[in-house]
Amino acid sequence: MAAQFGRRLRKGAATTAVAAVAVAALSASQAPGVNDHGRQTAADATPSPEASASDGSATGNSPYYTDLPPLKSPNPSPSTGPGPGGTGATEAGIPATVLDAYKKAETTLREAKPGCNLPWQLLAAIGRVESGQARGGQVRADGTTIKPILGPQLDGNGFALIKDTDDGAYDGNSAYDSAVGPMQFIPSTWAWAGRDGNGDGKKDPNNIYDAALAAGHYLCRNNWDLSQQDDLDRAILSYNQSREYLNLVMRWLEYYRKGTHEVPDGTGTLPDNRSDDGAGASPTPTTPGSTPGTTPPGSPTPGPDRPKPGKPGKPGGGTPAPKPPTTPPGTPSTPPSTTPTPTDTVDHLEDAGTAKLTAMAGDTFGKRISTRAETEAGKAVAKVRVRFTIVGDTDTTFTGGESVATVATNSSGVAVAPALQAGERTGAVTVRATVVGRTVPGLDYKATVTERAADTLARTDDAALTCAPGGEFATQAEVKATYNGAVADGVAATATLITSADDATANDKGPYFKDADGKTVRTLTGLKTDAKGLLKLPKLYADDTTGTFLLRITTAGGATLTVELTVAAAETSSPSASASPSA
């Protein structure tokens, strides 16, 4: 079925510029904050600079399908209407596997990032605009597209200029990048946003489960709440920086919110019109390893999802009829421009004044990595994409939970990485900065995650801790830990019944704790403060020894508290005086 040209959507440089400014303005309204523990967290941190970078988007601002939702009700009977490529009831339907992928991604994000409030209908709207729901549901049972879905190569000829970043691994092109898969991620974005949505151990941009989950995480970064229109606009604009794109996705989102239904895989409708004035059911499918736009040897005959060749001169098909020359014969042709791009001029990366990177487990690092791209002569290079990758076995991430972030250098040639969020694993963390699209030595930064600490311990009450010999203390000791005046949660602590104020070894008599088997222990390890910084010690017991004893509690960070315990026999009242004799 040959796809036909239809209405056109023109995008000019002015529109792109306006969209970029809008993205920057929207992103700038995010401000850093502090949680109720007094520690800055990933959710409160400044959004990633990539969100407002003028060339940062999931798709590289690739072409998309401009078909509008139909005016008719989105709730027709699923049994009516034409099949693939037609209009009617199936216009509102979403192929079964594709719909399942969207809903599973929503469920996963509801648990992983509940504050995002991602609706699956948003994924459906983007999937419709990007690939016509994976070419009308041309997917296998595991969600992988029957044929790869590729956008045009982004060679700067009518599109953005993005030189190869993946050695052709995803798009089969080692010269330029192309958007890949049903959600149309460019390879450099997929490198950090990619997810395994179907549990097969792979992150495949041509698998709808993987791509839908990746799109969900991408839209939920920067602590955006998609139930708020401003954040929803930010997220959509970050996917493709075009106001027309934003308006179109919103139209489909509202359409699907009114209702939709499941249709069999492979029977979804195919879009007709693209923002680059191209036509067809999908971006050109290309086998990795071949040159986009060419048909590899042994390729199958064009089918419903691959436009058939048409007659010369007919829109969307065949080789166009030759046009008469516009210059006199013999006129020398103008040589192609060889002006190097900013990326071509980068010789090396330099540290741009990054301070010492240290944070306690669970905290957001207070300092951020800054890298400057320079020419061989040491001149700063602007508008170069720098990729920051957290390497090694660590649970430290960038804000938003990602291990890779791509940021464009500013006018001073500096790219500032998103804030690092320390995990629970302590020790050294390496972050590597590299130039996207150019092979120059990477620059490694070292960060250190220290264990959670407290600098002050205090009892929560002043009740005396007393017990009779052989008895049980009626009151359990409770302390509160703080660090620099803020709640110190999750801090490891040790409690020991010490011999004396000058001897911290465990006492062999007096009060004691009981272990799980009921045996006597006088040192407890593995204790930890709760979310409010509180630590309530287990019950204490006393042997037959009377006297005053000491309980010492210590934490990581040097906080120490010594509590006095008293074991004494109960006082007995003296006999009453004898009655005086009567007169």
Side-chain angles (χ1 to χ4, degrees):
M1 175 183 62
Q4 303 296 317
F5 279 99
R7 60 186 177 280
R8 303 172 64 188
L9 176 61
R10 299 185 179 276
K11 295 195 302 179
T15 301
T16 303
V18 169
V21 170
V23 176
L26 288 168
S27 298
S29 67
Q30 301 290 314
V34 177
N35 68 359
D36 59 1
H37 295 174
R39 297 175 178 174
Q40 191 179 26
T41 64
D44 301 316
T46 304
S48 165
E50 69 191 79
S52 60
S54 61
D55 64 343
S57 71
T59 66
N61 298 327
S62 294
Y64 54 89
Y65 291 105
T66 60
D67 299 52
L68 293 170
L71 298 176
K72 55 183 175 295
S73 167
N75 281 304
S77 169
S79 61
T80 63
T87 58
T90 53
E91 189 76 35
I94 298 176
T97 299
V98 178
L99 180 59
D100 184 57
Y102 296 150
K103 290 185 175 181
K104 284 189 174 179
E106 179 197 57
T107 300
T108 300
L109 267 299
R110 190 181 299 132
E111 296 178 1
K113 298 182 179 180
C116 176
N117 296 305
L118 171 79
W120 66 261
Q121 292 91 340
L122 176 59
L123 298 176
I126 290 175
R128 172 71 192 195
V129 169
E130 292 296 346
S131 68
Q133 311 297 22
R135 299 195 207 106
Q138 296 287 336
V139 296
R140 300 186 179 93
D142 68 348
T144 303
T145 57
I146 294 174
K147 297 176 183 177
I149 299 178
L150 295 180
Q153 68 176 15
L154 301 174
D155 57 5
N157 185 19
F159 310 111
L161 174 60
I162 303 180
K163 293 192 175 182
D164 175 66
T165 61
D166 64 335
D167 293 327
Y170 294 119
D171 53 19
N173 189 336
S174 59
Y176 301 97
D177 273 350
S178 295
V180 184
M183 303 304 279
Q184 289 289 277
F185 280 96
I186 54 174
S188 59
T189 302
W190 183 260
W192 63 267
R195 293 292 190 280
D196 176 15
N198 64 348
D200 64 356
K202 298 183 294 184
K203 300 176 183 179
D204 181 2
N206 274 299
N207 181 282
I208 186 59
Y209 287 100
D210 295 358
L213 184 58
H217 275 279
Y218 184 89
L219 295 164
C220 284
R221 70 198 195 287
N222 296 327
N223 199 32
W224 283 330
D225 178 359
L226 302 186
S227 66
Q228 303 298 316
Q229 189 63 49
D230 286 348
D231 280 358
L232 180 60
D233 289 350
R234 291 183 180 94
I236 297 172
L237 281 171
S238 77
Y239 213 87
N240 189 310
Q241 294 176 345
S242 162
R243 276 288 169 182
E244 289 90 345
Y245 182 89
L246 168 63
N247 294 335
L248 182 62
V249 169
M250 285 301 304
R251 293 281 291 272
W252 279 106
L253 170 59
E254 294 306 316
Y255 182 75
Y256 286 134
R257 275 176 168 166
K258 293 177 182 177
T260 186
H261 58 272
E262 178 184 297
V263 298
D265 289 344
T267 66
T269 57
L270 305 176
D272 289 325
N273 310 287
R274 258 185 19 195
S275 60
D276 61 342
D277 296 331
S282 69
T284 306
T286 305
T287 301
S290 64
T291 302
T294 64
T295 303
S299 295
T301 304
D305 58 349
R306 186 191 294 268
K308 296 179 180 178
K311 296 180 181 180
K314 183 178 179 180
T319 304
K323 297 180 180 180
T326 57
T327 56
T331 302
S333 60
T334 303
S337 173
T338 58
T339 302
T341 66
T343 301
D344 294 330
T345 67
V346 177
D347 176 74
H348 59 274
L349 294 175
E350 288 284 346
D351 176 40
T354 302
K356 184 178 181 180
L357 300 167
T358 302
M360 284 195 294
D363 285 0
T364 298
F365 282 73
K367 305 296 182 181
R368 294 160 69 172
I369 295 171
S370 297
T371 300
R372 184 171 55 252
E374 296 184 354
T375 64
E376 185 176 5
K379 183 179 179 181
V381 184
K383 298 182 179 180
V384 171
R385 288 179 299 150
V386 176
R387 179 181 297 140
F388 297 95
T389 305
I390 300 173
V391 299
D393 185 16
T394 178
D395 57 353
T396 292
T397 65
F398 291 115
T399 51
E402 315 298 348
S403 60
V404 180
T406 302
V407 183
T409 57
N410 59 20
S411 58
S412 299
V414 175
V416 181
L420 285 167
Q421 173 69 33
E424 294 302 321
R425 297 183 194 173
T426 59
V429 177
T430 299
V431 180
R432 182 165 298 150
T434 56
V435 178
V436 176
R438 185 162 176 79
T439 304
V440 298
L443 189 59
D444 284 356
Y445 293 85
K446 299 297 181 182
T448 302
V449 178
T450 61
E451 62 181 328
R452 294 172 182 257
D455 56 16
T456 304
L457 283 173
R459 286 192 63 189
T460 57
D461 61 48
D462 56 2
L465 298 174
T466 61
C467 179
E472 176 183 311
F473 284 78
T475 302
Q476 289 177 252
E478 184 181 63
V479 298
K480 183 174 183 178
T482 57
Y483 187 82
N484 289 336
V487 167
D489 59 315
V491 177
T494 299
T496 304
L497 292 150
I498 60 176
T499 301
S500 68
D502 299 323
D503 185 354
T505 59
N507 205 337
D508 59 359
K509 58 186 177 180
Y512 61 90
F513 298 107
K514 290 182 180 180
D515 64 12
D517 297 325
K519 295 180 180 179
T520 298
V521 292
R522 288 189 168 88
T523 298
L524 290 180
T525 59
L527 303 173
K528 188 170 289 189
T529 60
D530 65 14
K532 296 180 179 180
L534 298 176
L535 173 61
K536 191 169 189 176
L537 295 178
K539 286 186 177 181
L540 277 165
Y541 304 86
D543 60 16
D544 293 334
T545 309
T546 60
T548 300
F549 302 89
L550 299 178
L551 168 64
R552 180 163 291 172
I553 307 166
T554 59
T555 70
T560 300
L561 176 66
T562 302
V563 180
E564 190 173 277
L565 309 173
T566 302
V567 179
E571 293 183 4
T572 57
S573 58
S574 59
S576 59
S578 300
S580 59
S582 57

mmCIF file of all heavy atoms in Angstrom, residues 156-177:
data_model
loop_
_atom_site.group_PDB
_atom_site.id
_atom_site.type_symbol
_atom_site.label_atom_id
_atom_site.label_comp_id
_atom_site.label_asym_id
_atom_site.label_seq_id
_atom_site.Cartn_x
_atom_site.Cartn_y
_atom_site.Cartn_z
ATOM 1 N N GLY A 156 22.272 17.069 9.039
ATOM 2 C CA GLY A 156 22.218 18.515 8.875
ATOM 3 C C GLY A 156 21.564 18.953 7.592
ATOM 4 O O GLY A 156 21.369 20.148 7.364
ATOM 5 N N ASN A 157 21.187 18.018 6.730
ATOM 6 C CA ASN A 157 20.552 18.341 5.459
ATOM 7 C C ASN A 157 19.039 18.354 5.639
ATOM 8 O O ASN A 157 18.344 17.389 5.343
ATOM 9 C CB ASN A 157 20.956 17.314 4.392
ATOM 10 C CG ASN A 157 20.424 17.680 3.003
ATOM 11 O OD1 ASN A 157 20.062 18.828 2.753
ATOM 12 N ND2 ASN A 157 20.357 16.689 2.129
ATOM 13 N N GLY A 158 18.533 19.455 6.193
ATOM 14 C CA GLY A 158 17.109 19.555 6.478
ATOM 15 C C GLY A 158 16.752 19.065 7.865
ATOM 16 O O GLY A 158 15.620 19.206 8.307
ATOM 17 N N PHE A 159 17.732 18.468 8.553
ATOM 18 C CA PHE A 159 17.512 17.966 9.905
ATOM 19 C C PHE A 159 18.640 18.474 10.798
ATOM 20 O O PHE A 159 19.554 19.153 10.346
ATOM 21 C CB PHE A 159 17.493 16.434 9.927
ATOM 22 C CG PHE A 159 16.580 15.815 8.901
ATOM 23 C CD1 PHE A 159 17.092 15.109 7.826
ATOM 24 C CD2 PHE A 159 15.207 15.964 9.010
ATOM 25 C CE1 PHE A 159 16.251 14.553 6.879
ATOM 26 C CE2 PHE A 159 14.362 15.410 8.073
ATOM 27 C CZ PHE A 159 14.875 14.702 7.004
ATOM 28 N N ALA A 160 18.573 18.088 12.063
ATOM 29 C CA ALA A 160 19.684 18.397 12.964
ATOM 30 C C ALA A 160 20.940 17.661 12.499
ATOM 31 O O ALA A 160 20.855 16.646 11.804
ATOM 32 C CB ALA A 160 19.323 17.973 14.385
ATOM 33 N N LEU A 161 22.091 18.163 12.881
ATOM 34 C CA LEU A 161 23.350 17.501 12.568
ATOM 35 C C LEU A 161 23.849 16.793 13.817
ATOM 36 O O LEU A 161 24.259 17.420 14.785
ATOM 37 C CB LEU A 161 24.398 18.517 12.094
ATOM 38 C CG LEU A 161 25.814 17.968 11.878
ATOM 39 C CD1 LEU A 161 25.805 16.865 10.826
ATOM 40 C CD2 LEU A 161 26.776 19.080 11.487
ATOM 41 N N ILE A 162 23.760 15.469 13.799
ATOM 42 C CA ILE A 162 24.254 14.666 14.919
ATOM 43 C C ILE A 162 25.140 13.565 14.348
ATOM 44 O O ILE A 162 24.651 12.607 13.749
ATOM 45 C CB ILE A 162 23.105 14.040 15.741
ATOM 46 C CG1 ILE A 162 22.169 15.139 16.259
ATOM 47 C CG2 ILE A 162 23.663 13.221 16.905
ATOM 48 C CD1 ILE A 162 21.010 14.609 17.072
ATOM 49 N N LYS A 163 26.440 13.735 14.509
ATOM 50 C CA LYS A 163 27.363 12.734 14.001
ATOM 51 C C LYS A 163 27.275 11.463 14.834
ATOM 52 O O LYS A 163 26.798 11.464 15.969
ATOM 53 C CB LYS A 163 28.785 13.295 13.976
ATOM 54 C CG LYS A 163 28.959 14.421 12.959
ATOM 55 C CD LYS A 163 30.425 14.769 12.736
ATOM 56 C CE LYS A 163 30.568 15.804 11.634
ATOM 57 N NZ LYS A 163 31.986 16.130 11.361
ATOM 58 N N ASP A 164 27.730 10.369 14.259
ATOM 59 C CA ASP A 164 27.581 9.047 14.867
ATOM 60 C C ASP A 164 28.075 9.000 16.304
ATOM 61 O O ASP A 164 29.146 9.515 16.619
ATOM 62 C CB ASP A 164 28.341 8.017 14.039
ATOM 63 C CG ASP A 164 28.325 6.648 14.689
ATOM 64 O OD1 ASP A 164 27.236 6.065 14.783
ATOM 65 O OD2 ASP A 164 29.390 6.180 15.111
ATOM 66 N N THR A 165 27.285 8.384 17.181
ATOM 67 C CA THR A 165 27.668 8.231 18.587
ATOM 68 C C THR A 165 27.691 6.774 19.036
ATOM 69 O O THR A 165 28.058 6.490 20.168
ATOM 70 C CB THR A 165 26.693 8.997 19.504
ATOM 71 O OG1 THR A 165 25.367 8.465 19.351
ATOM 72 C CG2 THR A 165 26.687 10.484 19.175
ATOM 73 N N ASP A 166 27.255 5.848 18.161
ATOM 74 C CA ASP A 166 27.136 4.452 18.596
ATOM 75 C C ASP A 166 27.845 3.479 17.659
ATOM 76 O O ASP A 166 27.623 2.267 17.748
ATOM 77 C CB ASP A 166 25.660 4.055 18.700
ATOM 78 C CG ASP A 166 24.945 4.086 17.350
ATOM 79 O OD1 ASP A 166 25.396 4.835 16.449
ATOM 80 O OD2 ASP A 166 23.953 3.362 17.187
ATOM 81 N N ASP A 167 28.714 4.026 16.775
ATOM 82 C CA ASP A 167 29.404 3.180 15.791
ATOM 83 C C ASP A 167 28.422 2.365 14.973
ATOM 84 O O ASP A 167 28.715 1.240 14.540
ATOM 85 C CB ASP A 167 30.409 2.244 16.485
ATOM 86 C CG ASP A 167 31.572 3.008 17.110
ATOM 87 O OD1 ASP A 167 31.965 4.041 16.537
ATOM 88 O OD2 ASP A 167 32.065 2.576 18.168
ATOM 89 N N GLY A 168 27.229 2.922 14.765
ATOM 90 C CA GLY A 168 26.231 2.244 13.933
ATOM 91 C C GLY A 168 25.547 1.071 14.598
ATOM 92 O O GLY A 168 24.814 0.328 13.948
ATOM 93 N N ALA A 169 25.746 0.890 15.914
ATOM 94 C CA ALA A 169 25.199 -0.293 16.587
ATOM 95 C C ALA A 169 23.679 -0.340 16.514
ATOM 96 O O ALA A 169 23.098 -1.415 16.338
ATOM 97 C CB ALA A 169 25.651 -0.312 18.049
ATOM 98 N N TYR A 170 23.012 0.789 16.655
ATOM 99 C CA TYR A 170 21.548 0.809 16.660
ATOM 100 C C TYR A 170 20.958 1.202 15.308
ATOM 101 O O TYR A 170 19.895 0.708 14.930
ATOM 102 C CB TYR A 170 21.034 1.782 17.722
ATOM 103 C CG TYR A 170 21.344 1.359 19.130
ATOM 104 C CD1 TYR A 170 22.125 2.154 19.966
ATOM 105 C CD2 TYR A 170 20.860 0.156 19.649
ATOM 106 C CE1 TYR A 170 22.412 1.763 21.263
ATOM 107 C CE2 TYR A 170 21.143 -0.238 20.949
ATOM 108 C CZ TYR A 170 21.922 0.569 21.744
ATOM 109 O OH TYR A 170 22.205 0.180 23.023
ATOM 110 N N ASP A 171 21.614 2.135 14.620
ATOM 111 C CA ASP A 171 21.012 2.673 13.399
ATOM 112 C C ASP A 171 21.719 2.235 12.122
ATOM 113 O O ASP A 171 21.327 2.646 11.029
ATOM 114 C CB ASP A 171 20.971 4.203 13.461
ATOM 115 C CG ASP A 171 22.337 4.815 13.773
ATOM 116 O OD1 ASP A 171 23.364 4.125 13.596
ATOM 117 O OD2 ASP A 171 22.380 5.987 14.190
ATOM 118 N N GLY A 172 22.771 1.403 12.222
ATOM 119 C CA GLY A 172 23.439 0.920 11.029
ATOM 120 C C GLY A 172 24.195 1.986 10.266
ATOM 121 O O GLY A 172 24.533 1.796 9.099
ATOM 122 N N ASN A 173 24.486 3.104 10.909
ATOM 123 C CA ASN A 173 25.136 4.217 10.224
ATOM 124 C C ASN A 173 26.298 4.688 11.091
ATOM 125 O O ASN A 173 26.096 5.154 12.214
ATOM 126 C CB ASN A 173 24.130 5.354 10.014
ATOM 127 C CG ASN A 173 24.671 6.460 9.123
ATOM 128 O OD1 ASN A 173 25.874 6.647 8.998
ATOM 129 N ND2 ASN A 173 23.764 7.203 8.508
ATOM 130 N N SER A 174 27.507 4.550 10.590
ATOM 131 C CA SER A 174 28.681 4.949 11.358
ATOM 132 C C SER A 174 29.123 6.374 11.048
ATOM 133 O O SER A 174 30.172 6.813 11.516
ATOM 134 C CB SER A 174 29.847 3.981 11.081
ATOM 135 O OG SER A 174 30.158 3.964 9.697
ATOM 136 N N ALA A 175 28.316 7.098 10.270
ATOM 137 C CA ALA A 175 28.647 8.493 9.963
ATOM 138 C C ALA A 175 27.752 9.461 10.732
ATOM 139 O O ALA A 175 28.228 10.448 11.294
ATOM 140 C CB ALA A 175 28.526 8.752 8.463
ATOM 141 N N TYR A 176 26.446 9.178 10.723
ATOM 142 C CA TYR A 176 25.486 10.058 11.392
ATOM 143 C C TYR A 176 24.508 9.213 12.196
ATOM 144 O O TYR A 176 24.307 8.031 11.925
ATOM 145 C CB TYR A 176 24.705 10.904 10.369
ATOM 146 C CG TYR A 176 25.572 11.783 9.513
ATOM 147 C CD1 TYR A 176 25.963 11.376 8.236
ATOM 148 C CD2 TYR A 176 26.007 13.022 9.969
ATOM 149 C CE1 TYR A 176 26.777 12.174 7.446
ATOM 150 C CE2 TYR A 176 26.819 13.835 9.181
ATOM 151 C CZ TYR A 176 27.203 13.412 7.923
ATOM 152 O OH TYR A 176 27.999 14.199 7.148
ATOM 153 N N ASP A 177 23.900 9.842 13.182
ATOM 154 C CA ASP A 177 22.883 9.152 13.973
ATOM 155 C C ASP A 177 21.518 9.260 13.317
ATOM 156 O O ASP A 177 21.249 10.186 12.527
ATOM 157 C CB ASP A 177 22.810 9.746 15.378
ATOM 158 C CG ASP A 177 23.803 9.114 16.339
ATOM 159 O OD1 ASP A 177 24.407 8.083 15.960
ATOM 160 O OD2 ASP A 177 23.982 9.643 17.447
#
